[in-house]
Every structure is written in C-alpha cells, then in structure tokens.
Amino acid sequence: MRGVFGLAILPIGRLAMTWAAGTNRLLDGLPSETREPLLAVSETVELTLGDVIWEPLQRIENVYFPLDSFVSQMFPVDAHENLELSLVGSEGMLGVSLVLGVNSTMMQAIVQGHGTALRIDAAAFLKELEMLPELRRRLYRYIDVTMAQLALTVTCNSFHALDARLARWLLMTHDRAQPGGLRLTHKFLAQMLGVRRVGVTNAAGRLQSRKFVRYSRGKITVLDRVGLEQMSCSCYQSDKGIYNRVLG
Amino acid sequence: MRGVFGLAILPIGRLAMTWAAGTNRLLDGLPSETREPLLAVSETVELTLGDVIWEPLQRIENVYFPLDSFVSQMFPVDAHENLELSLVGSEGMLGVSLVLGVNSTMMQAIVQGHGTALRIDAAAFLKELEMLPELRRRLYRYIDVTMAQLALTVTCNSFHALDARLARWLLMTHDRAQPGGLRLTHKFLAQMLGVRRVGVTNAAGRLQSRKFVRYSRGKITVLDRVGLEQMSCSCYQSDKGIYNRVLG
DNA sequence: CCGCGTATGTACGCTGAGGCACAGACGGGC
DNA sequence: GCCCGTCTGTGCCTCAGCGTACATACGCGG
C-alpha cells in the first residue's frame, strides 16, 4: 500500500466547506468498496510548478487525481496561441480521454500549483475501471461536467471583459491552491487568459487598487474573496453550480 | 421496422468523399450486429429549421442521429449571450450526456438545417447502449472528439478574426447541409459567432466581393470552397483532423 | 402592383485590447 | 552589497469589433 496517503483514513473533505487538502473530491464520492481497490494501485506523487504532465498527441501513461496540487490544460493551436481551458484540482481528474477509450490527448497539461496527486498507471487504471462500475459511473458524470464547464468557458471568454475573467480565474485558482498566496506572474496569467501581459498588469492593478488582491513579483495574495466574486462574472458561480448539480 | 430508412440497406456513405445524405457516419462505422438493433428502435423524423430540440436543464427525452439535417448547440449564459459551440450533422449525435449517465443537458439545441434524423427514445436507447458494447465504445470515442473540438473552438474564438471564423463556419455548415444553398441570415450568423449583425454584414461582404460566396436575403451559396478554406483559419482542417484521428 | 416586414448596407463615435518600446523596481546569487 | 535578470508600470499608436441609428432593397401577401 505504498503511498496511499490519508485519503482512505481521513475522509474529512466531505464535510468541509472548502475542499480539504489531501483528498480528492471525485474519489471521495465513491463507496469505499470502489475507492479502496483504486487506491491500492495508486501512488502519491509530488507535482512541481511548471511540470509538463503531457503534450498534445502524447500517449497517456498515467492518470492523475490531484490532492492539493492543480494542473491547467491548454489546447495549443499555433505557436503562441495558448489559452487555458480547464483547471483541474482536487475536484477532478487528469486523463479523461482514457476513460473514453482514447489513449492519447490533444491537450497540453502543465502544473500550476505545487502539491501532491494520486497517480495511477494507465493499464492498471483501465483494469480497475473495468471492474468497478461505480467508478465508471462517477467518472462519466465528471466528463459530462467538464464538457459543460468547457462550454461555459467558451461563452465567458467571448463575452466577458478581462477584469471579470481575471477575477474569476483568481478565484478558481484560489479554490484549488494551498493556503498562503498564489505563485503567478502577470506574464503567466496573460497566457492563461489568452491576452497580452500588459492587459493583465492593468487589470491586476485595478484589482489591487480596490484591495481585492495584493501582489508582488509573481506572488498574489487574495485579500477579499467577496470583492473578487462581485467583480467576476456569473461564470464563477455557474461553474461551481455545474459541478455540484451532477457530482455534488 | 417502422421508419428505418435506407441506412441499413444502402450504406453508400462509407465510400463517398463527402458524407452522403441518408446515412449517419457514427452509426455507419458500427458492425451491422450492433447497428441493426439500434435501427430497430429508431424512427426517422423530419427536423425543420428553427426547431428547438432542447433548452438548458431540460430532460433528454430522445437522442438524435442526424442524417441530412444538422443542429447547433449553444450554451446560453445571460440574456443574449448566445454563441454556437458545436454543429452536429450526419457525423455526430445529439444527447451525449445520456451516454454519460446524465439525463439532462446544459445546452440549447436548435435545428440549423432542415432534413431528417434518426430519433431514439431515451429509455430504449439506454437499453440498447447497455447491450451493445461496440456502440458504447464508438460513442465514448465520439465524446472524446467533441471535447477536443470544443477546446479547439475556445481557442479559435479567442484568437482568430471574424473573417476567418465566418469562413470556417460557412465551410462547416456547407459540409453538413444538403446541396443547394444555405438558409442563413446575417443576423443569425451573428448569433452563432457571438458578434454583432453589422460585423457579419461586413465580413460577408468581403467574402462576397472575393467571389467566395453569393448571398441574398437569407440564402447563401458557396461559390469557391478553396477560397473559403484559404481565408478560414487552420481550425477548419484541425476540426476534421480531430474527428478522423479518433473515428475515421 | 402596392405595402410592409425582414434583410442588408452604411455611417459615426467609442472602447478594449493588440503591438511595441522602454523605464523603474525588486530580489536572488555571487 | 552589487549586478543582472525578471517582474511590473507606463506611454503611444492602431485596430477590430461594439452600440446605435438610419437608409435602402428585396419579396411575399393581399
């Protein structure tokens, strides 16, 4: 039972308002007869800021269930046309294509927040998936959620101003990150949001002057979640709503 | 065998370069032991331009496999913030949430192109789905494709100019439509692309002045596919590539 | 064949964001 | 404690697309 972590022993996350570090909400929602065999083939690994989990067209060797790390997925089109599509933290899973019977991905996945994740070898995962109907059931529902969230993001990106999108992005990141300030430069945020760095500097400046955040040289501290929520578009709440509706 | 149509009898679509009317490419790719039982519970229905297949949060009563009709899906956020997310024609299926075990959808689906589709009652479909592993296998792969296509669309919408996106949209529609000119007003295109009507009028004017299309009062004729392809962004080809890679 | 509704064309100012350039400011490493 | 690289701030011009308003043009129904 190498590296199984506290997940099976301390399912505290289910009652907490925020997602507790050390658990994965997707797995948490499984009956223990389903969760245990999966944990038995998983190992806890450390993911470091900037690690590339996979590149487009790469074969999926492992799937990941983040615990207190989080990872963002992009879809590279041309050289610098990157844009974050989804943020996967302890509420989700990386490698859903495998669940759908496709063993490679079109996405690029990069670690955004340092922390731990459960890692399962692709072959072992598929074997368990076959034997555990409850696992299938839940992961399929999760996939439906990610599709709806992706659809929301398309619309949000098209219609909502940068300030609102930045606020939303900071909130979503804050939800998934460990306490103690986010490691994010403006340049990086610009890539995530698909805009210029200067645009982020201006938008972030406006957030800071309203005392919603404080930042300095790549470290951002959220000071006022409520303020950020008011400034962000409704998509932040919608995104959570989509998740809770199907998986809550 | 009410309304089973020529699909089982005349699988001509498999050899044709363009998708032949009267077949559905997803079902076409199935072995006949799988296809036949599904066809036995399906009926052919006529879909008329403007029909609303479903609204957000509505229960999925039927799934659809378009034959020579096509349907677009939107994700309404606020009042008029609509934007097309996917175009489903004879290459696809409507109601994938059901395949994932979720019996409602966040999408709005509206018929874009008049024609026929196979319709299957949700309960009957689920029953067949359970009994037909090959069907599951193929539909799961299709879902993976739609996720990748959606991801592509997010990025395309963020980075590519209206002219290119309009060209892409016309090509995709043209691919799925029956021969003889598309029924699309500028106002409608504007909604699909998430821009103002005036923007479409200008962009469409540029396409027309280059003799790529001709249009008048809601009817658009594609004159020069190659020209349109050159004007559209690479996303048109990418979109087809994603499909063929997994389902071709 | 007239009228009205819908579709399309055009105009004007506005603004968010792009492209680019450069200046200051912090902070880790030597 | 200094240097240099990285991060952040600012300025300037450009431009695509928005909001709005109004003008024309086609075509169907009476």
Side-chain angles (χ1 to χ4, degrees):
Chain A
M1 290 273 284
R2 169 184 58 143
V4 165
F5 215 69
L7 198 135
I9 306 152
L10 288 169
I12 46 174
R14 261 182 279 182
L15 292 172
M17 283 302 289
T18 56
W19 306 330
T23 66
N24 177 285
R25 208 173 154 192
L26 264 186
L27 300 182
D28 244 24
L30 291 170
S32 61
E33 319 86 78
T34 301
R35 196 171 56 227
E36 297 299 340
L38 198 63
L39 292 175
V41 296
S42 73
E43 56 183 337
T44 304
V45 294
E46 194 93 0
L47 301 184
T48 310
L49 184 69
D51 280 0
V52 176
I53 305 286
W54 49 62
E55 292 282 350
L57 295 177
Q58 198 171 311
R59 191 183 174 76
I60 299 177
E61 309 280 2
N62 299 281
V63 301
Y64 295 81
F65 293 90
L67 300 173
D68 55 1
S69 58
F70 58 102
V71 175
S72 79
Q73 293 200 98
M74 276 94 78
F75 192 107
V77 171
D78 291 327
H80 295 293
E81 296 185 342
N82 271 23
L83 174 55
E84 190 192 74
L85 301 171
S86 70
L87 201 54
V88 180
S90 64
E91 85 299 338
M93 169 192 175
L94 271 163
V96 292
S97 285
L98 210 60
V99 179
L100 295 170
V102 176
N103 64 7
S104 65
T105 175
M106 296 298 287
M107 302 281 195
Q108 182 188 41
I110 295 183
V111 177
Q112 286 281 327
H114 171 274
T116 53
L118 293 175
R119 183 175 74 185
I120 306 176
D121 167 76
F125 173 74
L126 286 174
K127 218 166 95 186
E128 296 302 325
L129 192 68
E130 184 147 359
M131 292 191 298
L132 301 170
E134 280 298 317
L135 178 63
R136 285 201 299 276
R137 213 180 85 84
R138 189 156 172 88
L139 293 184
Y140 287 140
R141 293 176 77 81
Y142 173 66
I143 289 168
D144 192 67
V145 165
T146 60
M147 289 186 74
Q149 288 177 334
L150 199 48
L152 175 66
T153 297
V154 187
T155 311
C156 181
N157 284 351
S158 290
F159 293 113
H160 299 156
L162 182 52
D163 289 40
R165 286 173 54 209
L166 176 59
R168 179 186 166 207
W169 201 94
L170 289 175
L171 286 168
M172 290 182 54
T173 306
H174 188 245
D175 287 342
R176 289 164 178 78
Q178 301 180 42
L182 313 171
R183 303 282 315 170
L184 301 163
T185 65
H186 293 181
K187 187 177 177 183
F188 189 80
L189 286 166
Q191 280 221 341
M192 290 300 99
L193 295 166
V195 297
R196 285 172 319 154
R197 196 232 54 195
V198 175
V200 171
T201 297
N202 291 331
R206 290 187 286 270
L207 293 185
Q208 183 164 43
S209 69
R210 295 194 188 193
K211 311 243 192 269
F212 295 163
V213 300
R214 178 160 35 85
Y215 62 87
S216 149
R217 295 190 73 70
K219 184 156 185 179
I220 299 193
T221 311
V222 172
L223 300 175
D224 180 356
R225 275 194 66 95
V226 176
L228 276 183
E229 287 188 31
Q230 278 165 2
M231 166 145 289
S232 86
C233 46
S234 62
C235 301
Y236 173 66
Q237 288 299 336
S238 300
D239 191 272
K240 295 218 283 194
I242 289 169
Y243 189 95
N244 290 326
R245 186 173 143 267
V246 173
L247 293 171
Chain B
M1 289 272 282
R2 165 185 62 140
V4 167
F5 214 69
L7 195 135
I9 306 151
L10 289 169
I12 46 175
R14 262 181 282 181
L15 293 172
M17 283 300 289
T18 56
W19 306 330
T23 65
N24 177 286
R25 208 174 154 193
L26 263 187
L27 301 182
D28 245 26
L30 292 169
S32 59
E33 320 85 76
T34 300
R35 196 170 58 229
E36 298 299 341
L38 197 63
L39 292 174
V41 296
S42 73
E43 55 183 337
T44 304
V45 294
E46 195 94 0
L47 301 184
T48 311
L49 184 68
D51 280 0
V52 176
I53 305 287
W54 49 62
E55 293 282 352
L57 293 176
Q58 198 170 311
R59 193 185 172 75
I60 300 177
E61 309 280 2
N62 299 281
V63 301
Y64 297 81
F65 294 90
L67 299 172
D68 55 1
S69 58
F70 58 102
V71 175
S72 79
Q73 293 201 99
M74 276 93 78
F75 191 105
V77 172
D78 291 328
H80 294 293
E81 297 186 341
N82 272 23
L83 174 55
E84 190 191 76
L85 301 171
S86 71
L87 203 53
V88 180
S90 64
E91 86 299 339
M93 169 192 175
L94 270 164
V96 292
S97 285
L98 211 60
V99 179
L100 295 170
V102 177
N103 65 5
S104 66
T105 175
M106 296 298 287
M107 301 280 196
Q108 183 187 39
I110 294 183
V111 177
Q112 286 279 328
H114 171 275
T116 53
L118 293 174
R119 183 175 74 185
I120 307 176
D121 167 76
F125 174 73
L126 286 175
K127 218 166 95 185
E128 296 301 327
L129 192 67
E130 185 148 358
M131 292 191 298
L132 301 169
E134 280 297 320
L135 178 63
R136 286 201 299 276
R137 213 179 84 86
R138 189 157 171 87
L139 292 184
Y140 287 139
R141 292 176 77 80
Y142 173 65
I143 288 168
D144 192 67
V145 166
T146 60
M147 288 186 73
Q149 288 176 335
L150 200 48
L152 176 65
T153 297
V154 186
T155 311
C156 180
N157 284 352
S158 291
F159 293 111
H160 298 154
L162 184 51
D163 289 42
R165 286 174 52 209
L166 176 59
R168 178 186 165 206
W169 202 93
L170 290 174
L171 285 168
M172 288 182 53
T173 306
H174 188 245
D175 286 342
R176 288 163 178 79
Q178 300 180 40
L182 312 171
R183 304 279 318 167
L184 302 164
T185 66
H186 293 182
K187 186 176 177 182
F188 189 79
L189 286 167
Q191 280 222 342
M192 291 299 100
L193 296 167
V195 297
R196 287 173 318 156
R197 197 232 55 198
V198 176
V200 171
T201 297
N202 291 332
R206 290 188 285 270
L207 292 185
Q208 184 165 44
S209 70
R210 296 194 188 193
K211 309 243 192 272
F212 295 163
V213 300
R214 177 160 35 85
Y215 62 88
S216 149
R217 293 189 74 71
K219 186 157 184 179
I220 299 192
T221 311
V222 172
L223 300 175
D224 180 356
R225 274 194 67 94
V226 176
L228 276 184
E229 288 188 33
Q230 278 165 1
M231 167 146 290
S232 86
C233 46
S234 62
C235 302
Y236 172 65
Q237 289 298 337
S238 300
D239 191 271
K240 295 218 283 195
I242 289 169
Y243 188 95
N244 290 327
R245 184 173 145 266
V246 174
L247 293 170

